[in-house]
Amino acid sequence: MESPDLPTVVSINGKIMFKEEAKISVFDRGFLYGDSVYEVIRTYEGIPFLLQEHLNRLWHSASKLEMGFPFDQNNIVKEVNTCLGELGKENAYIRIIITRGQGPLQLDPVSAGSNNIVVITREFKENPKEWYKNGVNIIISNVERTSIRAIDPNIKSGNYLNNIMAFIHAKKQHAFDAVMLNSQGYITEGTTHNIWVVKKGKAYTPPLHAGILEGITRKTVLVLAKKNGIEVEQKNMTAEDLINADECFMTSTTKEVIPVTQVNNAPIGTGEPGPITAKLHKLYQDFIQQQIALS
Ligand code: PDD
């Protein structure tokens, strides 16, 4: 889908380089164990959107993994700005990765050296308009979401194998993406997005305790809905609730608000993107414009 040739600038521990030179040790624990945390942010008109929220979540993820850093958020902001300056694109994708560092081949994190900090910035190509116009189809995967008592999905760690397996499952069924259930059979989230259902004019999304990443787009949409008189509730839902919904949509930093019009190859509601989804996407886009105007 995406061109591999999009302009990209990387910083590794403060050293700026193009993607061809961007390499990290095979002894890095991020590579060996997925022992890392990350964030995905995007810019609109050159401004990293909700950067502070993403940095807060990065720190939250690290603290949940007992990964301490000998630097502060300002160091990261500086790296991000240097990369963006070099990249010189209005709309950029930013990935910040912090690993526990490199060390000998042993699990004990005490042996890890200093953290490796990687910032990848790349031109952001807008998503296909058809996704928003026609909606996308998802499947309910038989790959279960990890329990909050395992690696809590509310930690954005470098280990996404659970989500990768669900994504593979979706692709095998020619679907756009998958939604995972938890061990109690409740809906959690998609592989890189949060999921929402609309029934009788009210929007529902699973609660944190269902086992989800607390999406920053999700949080924003919850606030915008409440402010604008759309009823919202965080509630446990079953696969049947999704199948029988009037509308469904997904949210994420890179996707914003995408209508979901089919689940398991059957139409959701009318099978067309619904009015509440459209309204929430419009509110989200207006909010982006307001934020840009403020900065
Ligand atoms: N994914 N759930 C999961 C598992 C995610 O990986 C993401 C984000 C979200 C949505 O979070 P936010 O609204 O803060 O982007 C929910 C990013 C975009 C990614 O890994 O590419």
Side-chain angles (χ1 to χ4, degrees):
M1 177 109 235
E2 230 172 45
S3 158
D5 301 325
L6 287 172
T8 304
V9 173
V10 182
S11 151
I12 301 181
N13 299 323
K15 196 163 172 264
I16 296 282
M17 55 194 90
F18 290 110
K19 65 172 178 245
E20 292 73 20
E21 299 105 57
K23 298 196 172 58
I24 201 120
S25 166
V26 292
F27 296 99
D28 182 88
R29 295 176 61 92
F31 174 72
L32 292 173
Y33 305 116
D35 195 357
S36 63
V37 289
Y38 84 100
E39 278 298 320
V40 172
I41 304 141
R42 65 157 292 185
T43 65
Y44 292 95
E45 298 180 26
I47 296 150
F49 186 58
L50 302 178
L51 178 59
Q52 189 56 54
E53 301 270 336
H54 285 277
L55 291 174
N56 291 348
R57 190 170 64 187
L58 189 63
W59 254 250
H60 158 88
S61 298
S63 115
K64 289 278 221 168
L65 294 177
E66 306 201 17
M67 194 189 283
F69 305 143
F71 47 83
D72 62 25
Q73 295 189 351
N74 289 330
N75 297 93
I76 307 284
V77 173
K78 196 168 145 273
E79 289 314 315
V80 167
N81 287 334
T82 309
C83 281
L84 288 175
E86 284 292 320
L87 186 73
K89 296 287 171 195
E90 286 282 277
N91 293 321
Y93 171 105
I94 306 165
R95 181 178 286 235
I96 305 169
I97 306 146
I98 306 179
T99 80
R100 209 186 293 263
Q102 59 204 55
L105 291 173
Q106 60 189 45
L107 197 70
D108 186 351
V110 167
S111 62
S114 47
N115 304 91
N116 280 317
I117 310 168
V118 179
V119 176
I120 305 172
T121 55
R122 195 199 59 198
E123 183 181 6
F124 186 87
K125 278 267 171 260
E126 290 306 326
N127 296 324
K129 292 212 167 34
E130 304 86 76
W131 291 358
Y132 302 93
K133 191 166 162 275
N134 305 328
V136 298
N137 64 327
I138 59 167
I139 57 148
I140 296 169
S141 178
N142 53 21
V143 178
E144 203 172 273
R145 190 77 180 106
T146 44
S147 151
I148 54 172
R149 289 185 299 280
I151 292 296
D152 186 342
N154 198 20
I155 299 169
K156 200 159 171 58
S157 82
N159 188 330
Y160 257 51
L161 272 177
N162 186 220
N163 310 39
I164 291 169
M165 291 317 295
F167 194 77
I168 290 172
H169 185 199
K171 288 299 140 185
K172 275 194 178 156
Q173 298 193 36
H174 311 290
F176 178 82
D177 212 317
V179 158
M180 294 166 278
L181 303 177
N182 63 21
S183 59
Q184 283 122 49
Y186 292 123
I187 290 168
T188 62
E189 61 180 341
T191 61
T192 55
H193 61 260
N194 292 112
I195 194 82
W196 298 68
V197 151
V198 177
K199 192 78 186 169
K200 297 197 171 96
K202 184 169 171 181
Y204 299 89
T205 194
L208 291 191
H209 60 77
I212 62 165
L213 180 73
E214 186 171 22
I216 290 162
T217 321
R218 172 187 178 276
K219 240 187 193 173
T220 307
V221 169
L222 278 169
V223 172
L224 290 174
K226 280 184 200 149
K227 267 196 188 155
N228 290 278
I230 298 174
E231 264 195 280
V232 277
E233 190 182 337
Q234 299 178 54
K235 192 180 99 163
N236 268 329
M237 288 175 280
T238 62
E240 273 62 45
D241 291 322
L242 203 166
I243 290 163
N244 298 319
D246 297 333
E247 296 178 38
C248 177
F249 59 92
M250 56 175 71
T251 55
S252 89
T253 298
T254 52
K255 296 184 171 79
E256 300 182 353
V257 177
I258 299 184
V260 178
T261 46
Q262 276 190 34
V263 58
N264 296 343
N265 288 321
I268 296 176
T270 61
E272 299 285 326
I276 301 280
T277 305
K279 183 155 183 207
L280 288 171
H281 194 190
K282 171 82 174 56
L283 288 170
Y284 186 72
Q285 289 184 316
D286 291 348
F287 178 70
I288 294 166
Q289 292 310 318
Q290 286 158 21
Q291 292 298 109
I292 292 169
L294 285 176
S295 46

